[in-house]
Amino acid sequence: MDAQEKSHDKAERKKKKKKQADQDEIKSEDIAKDATQVAQPAGWTQEDEETLLERMKLATPEEARHQRHYATELKCLNWEKVAFGPYNADACKQQWDAIARKVCTSSK
């Protein structure tokens, strides 16, 4: 690979990294806006649970995502960023605990 190709590859990697950082920043802003709503819900729908899982994924720090260890990811998770709609951080964490219990008991 000559110097020009190396320079081009480096520039492409830099562009991709900046684009990802910009997307992460936008997602973080959206998550923070939704986290301000803290009314307690009456019940969780399937759509709410799917949203919860997606927001958990988005709120997991990048370095924790590469660990691939369940406990590490949960320790790094900021539940305030997961909160959305009528669900506050505590409600989201409680619902996740309930989902995890269901998964564990249904697999036995």
Side-chain angles (χ1 to χ4, degrees), residues 5 8-9 14 18 20-21 24 27 36 42 53 59 65 71-73 75 78-79 81 91-93 95 101 105 108:
E5 288 175 325
H8 178 72
D9 287 347
K14 190 174 180 179
K18 169 116 175 72
Q20 182 62 46
D24 289 345
K27 290 174 186 173
T36 60
L53 298 175
R65 285 188 213 156
T72 302
E73 288 185 27
K75 285 180 187 176
N78 180 342
W79 289 98
K81 289 184 177 182
C92 289
K93 186 170 185 334
Q95 186 62 19
R101 278 192 308 275
T105 58
K108 291 181 179 179

Side-chain angles (χ1 to χ4, degrees), residues 10-100:
K10 186 176 179 180
E12 286 298 313
R13 286 192 304 271
K14 190 174 180 179
K15 280 183 192 178
K16 286 180 183 178
K17 191 173 183 179
K18 169 116 175 72
K19 184 178 179 181
Q20 182 62 46
D22 290 345
Q23 289 173 342
D24 289 345
E25 184 176 322
I26 290 168
K27 290 174 186 173
S28 294
E29 289 172 5
D30 291 341
I31 290 170
K33 286 177 190 174
D34 287 343
T36 60
Q37 302 172 10
V38 294
Q40 290 298 324
W44 289 75
T45 65
Q46 182 174 349
E47 184 178 339
D48 290 339
E49 288 182 346
E50 290 170 1
T51 300
L52 171 67
L53 298 175
E54 182 61 29
R55 293 181 69 82
M56 287 175 65
K57 181 179 175 183
L58 291 174
T60 303
E62 187 67 30
E63 61 275 8
R65 285 188 213 156
H66 296 296
Q67 295 287 324
R68 298 286 186 219
H69 294 284
Y70 171 77
T72 302
E73 288 185 27
L74 283 181
K75 285 180 187 176
C76 296
L77 194 59
N78 180 342
W79 289 98
E80 293 298 327
K81 289 184 177 182
V82 176
F84 67 99
Y87 305 106
N88 65 21
D90 289 333
C92 289
K93 186 170 185 334
Q94 289 173 2
Q95 186 62 19
W96 169 247
D97 290 340
I99 292 170

